[in-house]
Amino acid sequence: MAGIQAGGVGSGLDINSLVAQLVSAENASRSGPILRREAAATTKISALGTLKGALSAFKGALTPLRNLDVFSMRKASSEDATRFTATASSGAAAGSYDIEVINLASAHRLASGPYLAGASTEIGYGSLTITVGAESFDVEISQDANTLEDIRDAINDSSDNTGVQATLLNGTQGTRLILTSRQTGADHAITVAASGGDAGLAALNYDPNGTMNLDEMDLARDALVNISGFPVSSSTNSIDEAIEGVTINLLKAEEDAEFTLTVGFDSASVTTRIQSFVTEYNNMQAQLTKLGGYDAASKSGGPLLGDALLRSIQQDIRRGLTSPVTGIDGDFTALASIGITTTATGTLVLDAAKLNKALSADPDAVAQLFGSENGVAARLYAQVDARLATNSDLDTRNTTLKRQLDDVSRDKEALALRMEQIEARYRKQFTALDSLLSQLQTTSSYLAQQLASVPRAGS
């Protein structure tokens, strides 16, 4: 707007106030339609965002149900989870197995004798060849860095060392060098051979077929279990090849103690996913109703009341939900047949007992109901995905509304410039009027003075 201007100085006319009132009145009449367009576009953009969010959440619940493998999920249960646990993939066959954990896999661990002088004890210099299973690496110990601490660091810092961890253990008898294999199993046993130098490193020699100057604290041992009477070994405490699709994690060993491993259909997991589908559908329906509904109490409608696009989305979803699934056999060709029904308000209700009965009777048929090519989840997912796609009706509508906001922004800028011009015109006109009134007042005063000096008749 124009800068600060002085009010009328000749006539006493309040130019600033008059100009401000006139400009304000004219601005209000011109800006009203623009602001209403802006509010309408902003409200609808927000409403479309809410609609897209509701559809996206529902799409997320549909995603797993359109995959037939979800309905083939297996659950592995251990009779004693302190002995072993297990997991099963969808490819695992149902059945039960007797598991006896004879021994756990362990990592080879060697310990030197105790050194009373602690980590700073000088052992000797030369070369150490350390072998773990079939892999070997050499560690050079220099004469000026030959303490227990130096030897530990040299082993751990060796770029070729991928199999052993060196540590120091401080006890009441002194400090010991501990060598531990990084992997469990009989194939990862450790041997140590010293050479060269002053022969002091010979105190660390360890060869089960020769000199053993280190103490064997833990054996390099494979896990051993009996599965339904058949022996199975593993270099780790995880066995994943004995029973197809099943991984057994060993925790505690005890000979002559058998516990049952049961592999079966994971109905609880499937039920949870179907319940999520029902919940997200109801959440979506609540949002759609709020966007396009009418509240008789407040006599107000949602931002998309009467919107053709919203009605189209609701009708498509309703048809996809309630239409029977064709091309499949069995008794389960509609959601109602497995316990999912529609209420008078359009929400879904799940009868858990009926669903569990259906899953127990024929889980493959329930899978086809949701995940087959024309299944409920598959077709609803396709519908919702198309609505959320780039260049869809929703996307196009949103783009159009954003362009309208751009137009509104330009109209507001143009109006502001127009108001500046109008203000300048009003100010010019009132300034001219003020000048004219000032001149008239001066003339009036002059005439009054002249008339006052004219002699009166008979004086």
Side-chain angles (χ1 to χ4, degrees), residues 199-223:
L201 294 178
L204 304 179
N205 280 335
Y206 181 84
D207 183 349
N209 298 316
T211 303
M212 294 187 290
N213 292 334
L214 299 178
D215 296 323
E216 188 174 49
M217 309 304 296
D218 292 307
L219 297 174
R221 185 169 59 179
D222 289 341

Side-chain angles (χ1 to χ4, degrees), residues 357-429:
K357 185 177 179 181
L359 288 172
S360 298
D362 195 347
D364 290 337
V366 178
Q368 292 293 324
L369 172 63
F370 280 97
S372 64
E373 184 177 354
N374 190 40
V376 173
R379 66 195 182 196
L380 283 174
Y381 181 93
Q383 290 173 359
V384 174
D385 188 54
R387 294 292 187 180
L388 294 172
T390 303
N391 296 326
S392 66
D393 289 346
L394 266 176
D395 188 54
T396 301
R397 174 81 68 84
N398 200 56
T399 300
T400 300
L401 289 169
K402 288 182 177 179
R403 286 175 182 163
Q404 290 178 10
L405 282 182
D406 291 339
D407 292 341
V408 166
S409 187
R410 285 190 289 270
D411 288 347
K412 289 170 74 174
E413 291 176 0
L415 178 59
L417 180 61
R418 176 63 176 160
M419 287 301 102
E420 288 181 4
Q421 295 170 346
I422 290 174
E423 179 183 1
R425 177 165 54 83
Y426 279 142
R427 192 171 297 281
K428 181 178 180 181
Q429 290 172 344

Side-chain angles (χ1 to χ4, degrees), residues 110-404:
L110 304 174
S112 71
Y115 293 92
L116 292 176
S120 60
T121 302
E122 293 185 355
I123 306 302
Y125 64 94
S127 178
L128 291 175
T129 299
I130 301 176
T131 302
V132 183
E135 301 292 331
S136 298
F137 64 97
D138 294 327
V139 180
E140 297 299 325
I141 308 299
S142 63
Q143 188 171 358
D144 58 353
N146 64 354
T147 66
L148 272 181
E149 187 175 32
D150 294 328
I151 294 172
R152 176 202 63 191
D153 293 342
I155 293 172
N156 290 335
D157 293 342
S158 173
S159 60
D160 297 326
N161 177 11
T162 59
V164 66
Q165 178 70 41
T167 57
L168 296 182
L169 177 64
N170 298 309
T172 56
Q173 296 176 323
T175 300
R176 300 174 187 267
L177 176 68
I178 309 294
L179 300 179
T180 306
S181 175
R182 297 181 189 273
Q183 299 183 61
T184 59
D187 290 338
H188 298 97
I190 302 171
T191 63
V192 182
S195 60
D198 61 357
L201 294 178
L204 304 179
N205 280 335
Y206 181 84
D207 183 349
N209 298 316
T211 303
M212 294 187 290
N213 292 334
L214 299 178
D215 296 323
E216 188 174 49
M217 309 304 296
D218 292 307
L219 297 174
R221 185 169 59 179
D222 289 341
L224 181 61
V225 298
N226 281 333
I227 300 178
S228 295
F230 297 97
V232 176
S233 63
S234 172
S235 62
T236 71
N237 289 313
S238 179
I239 299 176
D240 57 9
E241 295 182 355
I243 304 173
E244 186 177 3
V246 178
T247 298
I248 305 172
N249 301 303
L250 308 179
L251 302 175
K252 181 180 179 182
E254 182 181 356
E255 289 192 58
D256 301 322
E258 289 186 341
F259 299 90
T260 303
L261 166 64
T262 304
V263 180
F265 173 58
D266 190 2
S267 61
S269 177
V270 174
T271 299
T272 298
R273 294 183 184 277
I274 293 176
Q275 180 61 69
S276 176
F277 157 75
V278 171
T279 300
E280 289 301 335
Y281 177 84
N282 289 340
N283 290 340
M284 178 188 66
Q285 276 298 104
Q287 289 290 354
L288 299 188
T289 300
K290 185 177 180 181
L291 291 171
Y294 179 78
D295 186 353
S298 63
K299 297 182 179 180
S300 62
L304 298 179
L305 176 64
D307 189 276
L309 177 57
L310 178 62
R311 286 200 307 270
S312 173
I313 291 173
Q314 290 175 309
Q315 290 167 359
D316 284 352
I317 291 176
R318 193 176 298 115
R319 280 194 297 269
L321 187 74
T322 58
S323 299
V325 178
T326 58
I328 61 175
D329 299 324
D331 298 327
F332 307 137
T333 59
L335 292 180
S337 62
I338 63 169
I340 301 175
T341 55
T342 306
T343 68
T345 59
T347 59
L348 296 182
V349 175
L350 172 63
D351 184 339
K354 191 171 183 178
L355 174 61
N356 287 334
K357 185 177 179 181
L359 288 172
S360 298
D362 195 347
D364 290 337
V366 178
Q368 292 293 324
L369 172 63
F370 280 97
S372 64
E373 184 177 354
N374 190 40
V376 173
R379 66 195 182 196
L380 283 174
Y381 181 93
Q383 290 173 359
V384 174
D385 188 54
R387 294 292 187 180
L388 294 172
T390 303
N391 296 326
S392 66
D393 289 346
L394 266 176
D395 188 54
T396 301
R397 174 81 68 84
N398 200 56
T399 300
T400 300
L401 289 169
K402 288 182 177 179
R403 286 175 182 163
Q404 290 178 10

